[in-house]
Amino acid sequence: MEAVILVDVLRRAGANVVVASVEPQLEIEASSGTRLVADTSISTCSDEIFDLIALPGGMPGSARLRDSEILRKITSKHAEEKRLYGAICAAPAITLQPWGLLRRKQMTCHPAFMDKLPTFRAVKSNLQVSGELTTSRGPGTAFEFALALVDQLFGESVAKEVGELLLMRTAEDNHKKEEFNEVEWSVDHSPHVLVPVANGSEEIEVVTVVDILRRAKVDVVVASVEKSLQILASRGIKLIADKSIDNAAESIYDLIILPGGIAGAERLHKSKVLKKMLKEQGSAGRIYGAICSSPTVLHRQGLLKGKRATAHPSVASKLTNEVVEGARVVIDGKLITSRGLATAIEFALAIVSKLFSHARARSVAEGLVFEYPKS
């Protein structure tokens, strides 16, 4: 989540972001099993000058970053020359601290690693900017972290504009979730969930939903509707699905969730296999949902009939059913919809809460360092 949110938000602001692998290969498996393909190897970055170096967290990812001698040299030289650098989650304590790059700085990190930071300079805040160094606490603070970096690179007005595009929470819509026609979602086995993806799917939404559901011990299958398992997401991140939609169609799922991204949603809509699966999901009374622009896919397939929903503001007017104004997540019986990017965490936690319990959702939110309502 941290890597993808960082890259997506910085690219949205206009930054030329290079994703570099410290592994022998470009394909990496992230902490919750999501597979990503980097743009290049860290060795090709040795002679480049960057305006910012930002490290995502995760374990053992942060330790693997720490053990990359090339990355250590690049980052140390970069910091010596007073250029911007940042780290989130475990990375401040596990990566930057052993490299000596937190000296004379105030910093924060994930609560589980605070004891590894120098006590008198560690700060229990979601975000800490100390000179050229910016640190943050975890996946649930990754948007704040990324926007703070945008502010430093491009200025406050660009950060504000990107924040609005992301649908960041305001005081008025804080955690606004609406539920209608309440029914039980719990199942007597480990829930089996399908997340179909396509070229142009929104990477933040894919990765956030998959990551959070897997943290809650849900069995999640990511299936590509393209000819290849590798898809190119909306902001240029390469994701690798677990299987093709044809193979995925051999199983039955308790829940099918469509990620957004306008181009991706259109490609999901055109998949005959997925269309058949969604139709069967609805007629069998199983759960389904969509976020961002993908509620339009459900609408076009007649799966929002008589249901209340929400969607990204840019497409909400295309839904003829009742759109619930102001809600970030809407549940109607066995349908769940959400607005987009910065509502993806709330969307995924709402699914966890319905499948298991509010307590399970709160526990997952705590690990993410995401503020979640007590009741």
Side-chain angles (χ1 to χ4, degrees):
M1 278 174 70
E2 293 157 2
V4 167
I5 289 170
L6 256 176
V7 174
D8 186 301
V9 173
L10 288 167
R11 282 181 177 163
R12 239 165 240 278
N16 173 19
V17 182
V18 176
V19 181
S21 168
V22 303
E23 303 294 345
Q25 69 289 334
L26 294 185
E27 184 186 322
I28 63 111
E29 184 174 315
S31 63
S32 289
T34 302
R35 289 184 294 157
L36 308 171
V37 181
D39 303 320
T40 189
S41 164
I42 193 66
S43 57
T44 68
C45 302
S46 297
D47 300 324
E48 279 199 60
I49 291 174
F50 297 95
D51 299 299
L52 164 71
I53 293 175
L55 307 181
M59 284 298 283
S62 296
R64 296 186 73 79
L65 294 179
R66 176 200 64 207
D67 295 342
S68 166
E69 189 55 23
I70 300 173
L71 179 62
R72 185 190 68 75
K73 283 181 179 167
I74 293 171
T75 312
S76 299
K77 184 170 185 283
H78 180 91
E80 275 167 31
E81 291 169 358
K82 303 281 186 217
R83 290 197 294 273
L84 300 175
Y85 63 108
I88 184 169
C89 193
I94 301 300
T95 315
L96 295 183
Q97 170 74 359
W99 289 350
L101 296 182
L102 299 182
R103 281 192 209 108
R104 296 185 295 282
K105 302 283 188 191
Q106 284 192 304
M107 77 298 289
T108 190
C109 75
H110 193 281
F113 299 92
M114 286 296 276
D115 62 339
K116 298 191 185 310
L117 295 177
T119 318
F120 57 97
R121 291 193 177 272
V123 182
K124 288 181 181 174
S125 62
N126 283 353
L127 183 74
Q128 185 62 39
V129 180
S130 183
E132 304 80 38
L133 171 69
T134 302
T135 50
S136 190
R137 302 203 90 184
T141 68
F143 283 108
E144 268 178 86
F145 178 55
L147 286 171
L149 296 172
V150 169
D151 187 346
Q152 291 166 74
L153 288 168
F154 295 98
E156 193 183 338
S157 62
V158 175
K160 186 171 182 285
E161 192 182 316
V162 173
E164 284 167 6
L165 283 174
L166 295 171
L167 307 173
M168 291 295 283
R169 271 186 289 167
T170 62
E172 298 82 62
D173 65 11
N174 200 4
H175 291 298
K176 198 158 179 209
K177 178 175 83 175
E178 299 268 8
E179 183 162 7
F180 307 91
N181 305 310
E182 194 170 336
V183 292
E184 282 285 320
W185 283 18
S186 54
V187 291
D188 60 1
H189 53 267
S190 176
H192 198 35
V193 174
L194 177 71
V195 179
V197 293
N199 290 330
S201 286
E202 176 48 68
E203 45 268 83
I204 286 179
E205 292 159 4
V206 174
V207 171
T208 299
V209 169
V210 172
D211 184 299
I212 290 175
L213 293 182
R214 284 181 176 160
R215 278 171 200 259
K217 304 292 182 266
V218 173
D219 173 23
V220 183
V221 172
V222 180
S224 169
V225 303
E226 306 292 348
K227 286 176 182 164
S228 160
L229 289 187
Q230 183 176 306
I231 63 120
L232 186 65
S234 67
R235 296 287 149 181
I237 289 183
K238 301 178 194 100
L239 299 172
I240 298 177
D242 303 316
K243 53 177 73 174
S244 69
I245 196 69
D246 291 349
N247 286 341
E250 292 167 11
S251 302
I252 287 172
Y253 299 89
D254 299 299
L255 170 61
I256 298 177
I257 289 291
L258 308 184
I262 288 175
E266 192 54 41
R267 296 184 75 79
L268 293 180
H269 174 66
K270 285 178 177 167
S271 166
K272 287 177 182 166
V273 178
L274 179 59
K275 195 175 282 189
K276 185 168 179 274
M277 290 176 81
L278 285 167
K279 192 178 175 187
E280 285 170 4
Q281 193 79 357
S283 58
R286 293 193 294 269
I287 315 155
Y288 55 95
I291 182 169
C292 192
S293 47
S294 279
T296 59
V297 177
L298 298 179
H299 169 64
R300 286 156 80 185
Q301 295 182 14
L303 291 168
L304 294 186
K305 218 171 191 176
K307 299 276 191 186
R308 277 175 264 209
T310 189
H312 192 276
S314 64
V315 300
S317 60
K318 293 178 183 170
L319 309 182
T320 52
N321 57 304
E322 193 176 334
V323 174
V324 183
E325 293 297 331
R328 292 169 72 78
V329 178
V330 175
I331 303 168
D332 189 339
K334 292 195 172 177
L335 165 73
I336 183 164
T337 51
S338 186
R339 299 184 82 203
L341 297 149
T343 72
I345 295 178
E346 289 143 280
F347 177 61
L349 289 171
I351 294 169
V352 173
S353 180
K354 286 295 290 181
L355 288 174
F356 300 103
S357 66
H358 186 76
R360 175 82 68 97
R362 261 185 74 75
S363 168
V364 172
E366 200 172 293
L368 298 169
V369 198
F370 181 77
E371 272 180 55
Y372 195 66
K374 285 187 175 143
S375 58

